[in-house]
Amino acid sequence: MRKRPKSGIYEISCIKNNSFYVGSAMNLMCRKNVHWKTLENRTHFNIILQRTWNEYGPESFRFRVLEYVSNASDLVPREQFYLTSFSGSFRRRCMNISPTAGSPLGVKHSAETCEKMRKGKI
């Protein structure tokens, strides 16, 4: 029996400059793989995150789960909770382009696609 992917809220942080990006995902590990792959290919949609990756390199980045969320309809509101809580210097370190949460809910990668992304074949 296959394990069900974990969904939740995550943070990508740069330990060199203390900046961070917050997102939500139905499949956290698959989402991490997509972020890393597009960052390595220099094609990430978030130009701030991409430039920080280019400057400091992959060894400076960490992915961590902030909160597991079992109900998919709660993902965006929980992500928004984190984004709304940022203020002052904390907000300035945030690499999210928009202060409003968004999620690619409904986009589901097959196990085969996730494995290909993990192996760097997509």
Side-chain angles (χ1 to χ4, degrees):
M1 183 182 224
R2 281 184 49 180
K3 257 181 155 176
R4 185 173 165 209
K6 296 210 181 243
S7 60
I9 312 304
Y10 63 89
E11 172 190 82
I12 298 171
S13 58
C14 176
I15 59 174
K16 296 281 185 166
N17 72 355
N18 294 317
S19 62
F20 59 91
Y21 171 90
V22 174
S24 62
M26 292 290 295
N27 183 327
L28 290 163
M29 287 306 100
C30 190
R31 186 68 183 126
K32 177 192 177 204
N33 291 338
V34 170
H35 276 296
W36 258 239
K37 183 66 178 165
T38 57
L39 287 163
E40 288 168 358
N41 288 335
R42 297 177 180 254
T43 59
H44 199 277
F45 68 91
N46 183 312
I47 191 65
I48 300 167
L49 182 57
Q50 183 67 66
R51 286 178 180 161
T52 305
W53 177 279
N54 295 349
E55 182 175 349
Y56 295 104
E59 64 281 352
S60 300
F61 283 80
R62 303 292 179 267
F63 182 96
R64 77 177 175 122
V65 176
L66 298 174
E67 176 182 351
Y68 290 105
V69 178
S70 57
N71 187 347
S73 64
D74 292 335
L75 281 172
V76 172
R78 292 305 298 156
E79 179 183 351
Q80 187 62 53
F81 167 81
Y82 286 94
L83 291 173
T84 302
S85 69
F86 302 156
S87 63
S89 64
F90 197 64
R91 175 68 195 141
R92 286 189 291 278
R93 293 187 341 226
C94 180
M95 291 187 279
N96 290 63
I97 293 170
S98 172
T100 305
S103 176
L105 285 177
V107 177
K108 295 185 185 194
H109 298 291
S110 69
E112 179 184 25
T113 299
C114 287
E115 184 63 18
K116 284 180 181 178
M117 286 187 283
R118 188 184 69 73
K119 290 181 176 179
K121 295 187 177 180
I122 288 184

